[in-house]
Amino acid sequence: MDYKNIKTLGELKASKYKSISVKDELRKNLIKQLQTKSEGFEGILGYNDTVIPELQTAILSRHNILLLGLRGQAKTRIARLMVNLLDEYIPYVEGSEIFDDPLHPISWYAKQQILIHGDNTAIGWQHRSERYTEKLATPDVTVADLIGDVDPIKAANLKLTYNDERVIHFGLIPRAHRSIFVINELPDLQARIQVALFNMLQEKDIQIRGFKLRLPLDIQFVFTANPEDYTNRGSIVTPLKDRIESQILTHYPKTLQISGEITAQEAKLSPEQRKNIHVDTLIKDLIEQVAFEARSSEFIDQKSGVSARLTISAFENLMSTAERRMLIKGEKNTEVRLSDLIGIIPAITGKIELVYEGELEGASKVAHTLIGKAIKKLYPRYFPDPGKAIKQKAANPYLRVIEWFTEGNTLDISDDLSSAQYKKELLKVDGLEELISNLHPKATENQHYLLMELALHGLAEYSQLSKKYLDSGYGFSDMFDSLFNINSESED
């Protein structure tokens, strides 16, 4: 039946329409979704076996929910997607500030309208997209913002005394009646404001000033919070936490594959970038591995967390670095190189919170260290361990490459080299092309050169070569010659 054609309370009653609470509504639609095995919480990746089942259990239990996790773990997105479990439209008393249910009015205005007009009371229909309210908790949030206060201007205009409940201006929570209400970063809310939420979670009513007002609000509360107080801001008061029935822990992606899928889904790339810039799986995995290394680094505050936004921003920067070179060199298309990783430094330094040791090192150096560790972690996928290979000199596949640098040769690979220059520079290194041909005979031409570059980075990470950071790329030289030069400079 098309309920939207119903315009009056009488027609609504005649249609046999039955209203239910918002939590029952969510439960009803989730049951349908589970029975039909239809997709729920689209775009949320890596939570199918952890967070989503717990969330569904909480909804089936009609619970208010606390999503507890570090930054960049899709807490707010999950809350927003709960709107899809609401009915498409629900009826309300036309003109009501809090969208009263026509069959169960709670406000003075709605009750008066029905008392005066009876079955002719005008009915409107509210879409589920309008039934979501979100508030970021900040220290300046007041009780009046969330719950309401007396409005002296309204009292003067309507010539009402302060004893009349019509002088009340409702806050965000009453206006979210029959909806989902989300408070982000709950610990940021002052303790006295958190106390004001007690009644709404347990007794389902509100208190404003001295009014003996009992509004049985119908709200699905969702709160998000960080488990660690790393900013010295505050915490969730215990009685409030006790009233939130389900606490669900979120987490970062557990595999490179899931992390890569999230980055691919969220990265904002232009059609030109997607068409003209090719990025190999090796590079994509390296970007994700940087985040994994950051989440275990002793230089980074693990209580703060390393957001999934790091890899998203880094990937966008990486593509733009390659695009910039392509445009400057007048090329129609290009490949992402390891030297382009220089371009992701700003994305890393802006997304990590350093501890004291990290501050001593410097954000840029920490970022370079993370990239180096990521390369070293993935290197064995493509090449034998250089540390083990050097012990077997006769069969050492890297011998000719290392000897070329031992002879005093150096190589600078900057991100501003044209494709022809890039290939020409790599081909200078004796034995490097042969190394890739022997180990990866099926590699495409572009993969061939990318692996040549990776081999140099890997040898540097395993202390077989020296690597220095240039303004726009990397330089490679003999390890021992580099150490000798450093010692000479120190003596000077």
Side-chain angles (χ1 to χ4, degrees), residues 226-332:
N226 192 307
E228 296 288 350
D229 177 26
Y230 69 92
T231 55
N232 298 319
R233 57 195 184 184
S235 60
I236 305 173
V237 297
T238 306
L240 178 60
K241 200 170 184 180
D242 181 57
R243 284 168 162 81
I244 304 171
E245 297 94 338
S246 282
Q247 175 180 290
I248 299 171
L249 298 177
T250 58
H251 56 81
Y252 288 121
K254 295 183 178 180
T255 66
L256 283 183
Q257 181 185 351
I258 294 295
S259 186
E261 288 174 7
I262 293 171
T263 301
Q265 175 182 279
E266 300 299 322
K268 295 179 177 63
L269 303 179
S270 69
E272 293 81 14
Q273 286 177 320
R274 295 183 188 278
K275 180 183 176 183
N276 301 327
I277 304 170
H278 177 261
V279 53
D280 195 82
T281 303
L282 161 61
I283 298 286
K284 292 177 181 178
D285 287 348
L286 270 175
I287 292 289
E288 305 308 325
Q289 189 62 43
V290 167
F292 277 74
E293 295 299 329
R295 289 172 191 143
S296 60
S297 172
E298 69 274 19
F299 297 127
I300 294 171
D301 186 358
Q302 300 306 319
K303 293 178 180 179
S304 166
V306 177
S307 169
R309 300 182 190 96
L310 183 149
T311 53
I312 296 165
S313 297
F315 187 67
E316 291 169 347
N317 269 15
L318 188 70
M319 295 293 280
S320 296
T321 301
E323 183 182 36
R324 177 180 176 275
R325 176 184 64 250
M326 180 185 72
L327 294 170
I328 290 173
K329 296 300 178 182
E331 297 174 333
K332 293 184 178 179

Side-chain angles (χ1 to χ4, degrees), residues 157-192:
N157 287 341
L158 299 177
K159 297 180 180 179
L160 300 171
T161 67
Y162 283 169
N163 290 325
D164 195 315
E165 66 180 76
R166 284 176 287 174
V167 303
I168 294 174
H169 173 77
F170 290 118
L172 286 171
I173 292 178
R175 290 172 186 274
H177 179 47
R178 306 169 73 203
S179 302
I180 297 170
F181 187 82
V182 178
I183 296 182
N184 280 322
E185 304 301 337
L186 184 58
D188 280 349
L189 211 58
Q190 293 182 44
R192 64 185 182 83

Side-chain angles (χ1 to χ4, degrees), residues 76 80 132-142 145-146 172 181-189 224 233:
T76 303
R80 289 176 179 175
Y132 178 88
T133 304
E134 184 178 302
K135 178 63 179 173
L136 176 63
T138 53
D140 62 334
V141 172
T142 65
D145 294 334
L146 292 179
L172 286 171
F181 187 82
V182 178
I183 296 182
N184 280 322
E185 304 301 337
L186 184 58
D188 280 349
L189 211 58
T224 73
R233 57 195 184 184

Side-chain angles (χ1 to χ4, degrees), residues 64-79:
N64 293 307
I65 298 165
L66 171 61
L67 295 171
L68 200 62
L70 297 173
R71 57 182 175 176
Q73 292 185 350
K75 300 186 294 294
T76 303
R77 174 170 288 196
I78 289 171

